[in-house]
Amino acid sequence: MGRKKLVMVGNGMAGVRTLEELLKLAPDAYDITVFGAEPWGNYNRILLSPVLSGEQAFDDIILNDPAWYAENGITLHLNARVTEIDRARRVVRTEGGLEAPYDRLLLATGSNAFVLPVPGKDLAGVVAYRDYHDVCTMLDAAASHRHAVVIGGGLLGLEAANGLAARGMQVTVVHLAPWLMERQLDAQAGGLLRAALEARGIAFALSAQTSALLGDETGRVRALRLDNGTEIAADLVVMAAGIRPNTELAEQAGLYCHRGVTVDDTLQTFDPRIYAVGECASHRGVAYGLVAPLFEQAKVAANHLAGHGIGRYLGSVTSTKLKVTGIDLFSAGDFMGGEGTEAITLSDPIGGVYKKLVIRGERLVGACLYGDTADGAWYFRLIREGKPVHEIRDALVFGESALGDVGHGGENRAASLPDSAEICGCNGVCKGTIVAAIRDKGLFTVDAIKQHTKAASSCGSCTALVEQVLINTVGGAADVTPKGEKPVCGCTALNHAQLRQAIRDRHLTSIPEAMRVLEWRAPDGCASCRPALNYYLISTWPGEAKDDAQARLINERAHANIQKDGTYSVVPRMWGGVTTADELRRIADAADKYQVPLVKVTGGQRIDLLGVKKEDLPAIWQDLAMPSGHAYGKSLRTVKTCVGSAFCRFGTQDSTAMGIALEKDLFGMWSPAKVKLAVSGCPRNCAESGIKDVGVIAVDSGWEIYVGGNGGIKTEVAQFLCKVATSDEVLEVTGAFLQLYREEAFYLERTVHYLTRVGLDHVKARVLDDGEARAALYARLKFALGFESDPWQAQIADANKRRQFETLAV
Amino acid sequence: MNDWIRVCTVGEIPAQGARVLRQAGEVDIAVFRTAADEVFALRDRCPHKGGPLSQGLVHGKTVTCPLHNWTIELDTGNARAPDIGCAGHLPVRVEAGDVYVRLGRRHG
Ligand code: SRM
Ligand SMILES: Cc1cc2nc3c(=O)[nH]c(=O)nc-3n(C[C@H](O)[C@H](O)[C@H](O)COP(=O)(O)OP(=O)(O)OC[C@H]3O[C@@H](n4cnc5c(N)ncnc54)[C@H](O)[C@@H]3O)c2cc1C
Ligand code: SF4
Ligand code: FES
């Protein structure tokens, strides 16, 4: 049996992106044939404006050259417009008489410029602004003529006007609405924009309707007449008054179309063999005109074409950025507002800054920024993630930096940084390098940037900053799916939530089985997915799923932290930070015996022996005769305590004993990311409970429990969960919360990020409101912990396990 | 020069793992075994900053360095794009379950 045949009509951004996604998922599923009406391979249409203005060359914006199609075994027909789909016989035909049969057909015909139905519309010198051919026509006109009129003061029209002005033409923009970009901006921001463009020499006729185009004796346009009779000289007229989904072919074939080719959430049209993506498609009544939604559609369509059948497209929130150098403008979501919304505005006409934020209930739903767009990416993220913003509402309009970010998550102000500013501290990548890679290589995702520049590929703390640079460089074209919705890695199409779900629903208990059933693309995965899979398996099926040492990163495999020179650090557990003279003596002796280069008190109230040779690890563990501190694990780390009521004159409860009890109760717990606790004896909080995953603070009448704090890359204060009376309740609530986290969080997601995603109310409902549910969670934790023992003892006792520490000799 | 030496049995290397071969005065050698039981040998020094590749995570015919996640191809020692560098690989032969490495000649 031959392979199935996939035919794609329309060789543009949405279609080719779908093919790229499909080739990643199922490289051998189809023989692919592509028909494109244009004579070029796929290029980055949104960068036509810099080509027009002379800031980039056409070669720079090619995304897939003919060699790419050849390498991937795709038959490419350029200059080939498809004029007929024969759905009964399942073939398509071009106007040149080519034919291709299909099993699946992908329509990606984009849209057409809307041509005003006025007299003179067919004169020479009247063009649309849609493809490179149009750009060439405009450049010819700019070289030999003087006056240009652009009809339409939207995104496209203004970019055309700016480009033509940069090429030396005298440009007038004729616009029907009373202000510019009325679909992206409100009146005030539109006014600021107009002033800025007028300063560049562009003239405007607003609230103006075109009634006719007038030609000269050669049949070329010479002027444009408005309905009030005014005539404006014009040797070139650019129609940029809107786009219409290109449904001609689909309609001719009898496919249901309504404002585009109608598709369902899987991007399937009413004929199940035919899919449509991009600007030609109408999803839930919306046809998008920007690339970001198209990329999301491409992912889903590819998944279904590949036969995986996972994923639905649910529509997109879009953002817009005008690509006119020197003008900063950004809008996203529902920035006009209306019933049920409130607006926060900041207006500084002299400084040329205007900001409007639209809020519905507790959430930010829209933003419109002019002049200072540095926080555009941040607002866009708040809109997409739908996080409640009522607590930061007062400071919201002043931007993220006004929130006082001690230790930023890299989320502030990429736009204002100079090119030489270092973005990724781990790999020493500066902003200019990232911007250049985005431009030169046509990158749209943070992952692609990671691959090409290494930025954000190590500790990841600058990911948000890289995302900002991306958004600031390509605007709405940035493909910035929230982390949780992205596939775990390149080996699978599943995201973390789907993977967890599948492991639970299908009762998967080993990595090879999971990879087989879930159709992993690489036979044994990679360094990203194997550790995640291993955690999901053992946390979902404790006692049943077997821990796979080879799926753990080195620290968890060697039960010690690897150092930059390949030696290890050893951190024995000191329950609650309490030690004895005897333990200290053993530590001192071991340090001497194994010539430990550095003995250091850690920030976690215990002692670190740094620089131990791997071969010495089992022996030093034996000599120390203390349990593992798990300082290396995605697991319970430390429980910091203060002295509390035992000695302190302010102590209200025995915080040290509480801390020790918690640490013993949770010993051996693996978790999505590391977990740190602290117990303080009074609200002076000497154990820093306010920045721990679980922080407990003693008060006269009992214990207050806080969750989701973090003292690391971005300091986050823990949120108050509840107050309980007894230490048994502290153990139960803490255990139940951590078990919920263990069951629901994504691998490497710390409690603060998990809480941001699911909300504190969700946790309260599961852990506080329902006593039975709480007891059940706690019981599941205890059940899982029943299988754990001290890993150091386990390594010492088992000759097989010890072998990994021994070297071979010649 | 015929300097093939017997190192260990295949079974003594964990599948999807590695062992370290140490010779006085020489750079350590990492001997890897893949999930498909193929055996490869590389100098145990990542071309990036010298990380011990033997401690990395093995997947397919590659190992991811434990220090900063470069991915190195086991059969050539080359770093995977976009990274550039080579760890240097040594010829390996498996006979009747015994692993032999040829120490004299180093590729790359
Ligand atoms: C040893 C220690 C520093 C010290 O000398 O005091 C340390 C050392 C390391 N920390 Fe830490 N952290 C240490 C306390 C902390 C603390 C303070 C604390 O626990 O009270 C924090 C902030 C609190 C927090 O985590 O919320 C801290 C926040 C981090 C972070 C940022 C985590 C975050 O979510 O933002 C990382 C990076 C990571 O985990 O990805 C990190 C990562 C590391 C690593 C594992 C880096 C690495 O991958 O090699 C370091 C290992 C060194 C080693 O080989 O031992 N370390 N690290 C401390 C060990 C505590 C212990 O007894 O176990
Ligand atoms: C100048 C300009 C600037 C833009 N700037 C931005 C921006 O800043 N941000 C943003 O998000 N979006 C921007 N856009 C919009 C973005 O380019 C489009 O959303 C995107 O290109 C649509 O992709 P598509 O594949 O659906 O259609 P297209 O990329 O238009 O591709 C459709 C292709 O199908 C071909 N075709 C049509 N019918 C047939 C047929 N019957 N047979 C064969 N081939 C056919 C067409 O020739 C075309 O090549 C801009 C658009 C333009 C024109
Ligand atoms: S702050 Fe932590 S991760 Fe950074 S150098 Fe110090 S110990 Fe290492
Ligand atoms: S030393 Fe191997 S990746 Fe840095």
Side-chain angles (χ1 to χ4, degrees), chain A residues 478-526:
Chain A
D479 181 3
V480 285
T481 325
K483 188 159 179 270
E485 291 165 26
K486 284 188 189 149
V488 174
C489 65
C491 305
T492 177
L494 301 179
N495 62 31
H496 284 271
Q498 292 164 332
L499 178 57
R500 287 215 89 152
Q501 185 77 31
I503 287 173
R504 197 170 304 126
D505 292 352
R506 304 170 81 160
H507 203 120
L508 304 174
T509 58
S510 81
I511 292 181
E513 182 193 13
M515 288 186 173
R516 186 167 36 73
V517 173
L518 303 175
E519 300 182 354
W520 236 246
R521 279 175 224 143
D524 52 353
C526 71

Side-chain angles (χ1 to χ4, degrees), chain A residues 625-650:
Chain A
M626 290 166 76
S628 162
H630 289 89
Y632 46 79
K634 308 295 171 219
S635 58
L636 174 72
R637 292 281 177 94
T638 51
V639 181
K640 279 169 67 155
T641 68
C642 72
V643 290
S645 60
F647 287 92
C648 177
R649 65 198 162 110
F650 294 118

Side-chain angles (χ1 to χ4, degrees), chain A residues 21 67 91 144 196 474 536 589 666 689:
Chain A
E21 296 282 348
V91 288
S144 52
V474 300
Y536 291 151
D589 289 343
L666 299 170
S689 303

Side-chain angles (χ1 to χ4, degrees), chain A residues 451 454 457 524-527 530-531 550-554 557 562-564 566 568 614-615 803 806-810, chain B residues 5 7-8 11-12 14-17 19-23 35 52 55-60 64 66-67 70 82-83:
Chain A
Q451 255 179 25
K454 281 279 148 179
S457 63
D524 52 353
C526 71
R530 278 220 323 256
Q550 300 313 128
R552 287 184 179 265
L553 297 175
I554 181 59
R557 206 176 332 127
I562 196 163
Q563 308 293 305
K564 58 192 242 187
Y568 288 81
K614 191 175 184 193
E615 310 83 278
R803 198 154 67 191
E806 294 159 7
T807 54
L808 302 164
V810 183
Chain B
I5 59 145
V7 177
C8 59
E12 282 166 338
Q16 298 178 300
R19 296 291 300 274
V20 176
L21 175 61
R22 183 155 296 165
Q23 311 156 266
Q55 313 298 303
L57 197 136
V58 177
H59 48 102
T64 297
L67 294 196
W70 280 31
D83 297 316

Side-chain angles (χ1 to χ4, degrees), chain A residues 646-709:
Chain A
F647 287 92
C648 177
R649 65 198 162 110
F650 294 118
T652 60
Q653 311 275 352
D654 190 347
S655 46
T656 316
M658 183 73 252
I660 294 173
L662 274 168
E663 192 164 354
K664 296 208 156 151
D665 205 43
L666 299 170
F667 179 72
M669 180 185 79
W670 296 110
S671 37
K674 58 189 170 191
V675 169
K676 300 176 177 183
L677 285 73
V679 185
S680 296
C682 83
R684 288 172 191 74
N685 203 0
C686 298
E688 300 167 336
S689 303
I691 50 166
K692 293 290 174 253
D693 296 282
V694 178
V696 180
I697 299 176
V699 289
D700 227 20
S701 51
W703 308 92
E704 290 177 353
I705 303 180
Y706 294 79
V707 292

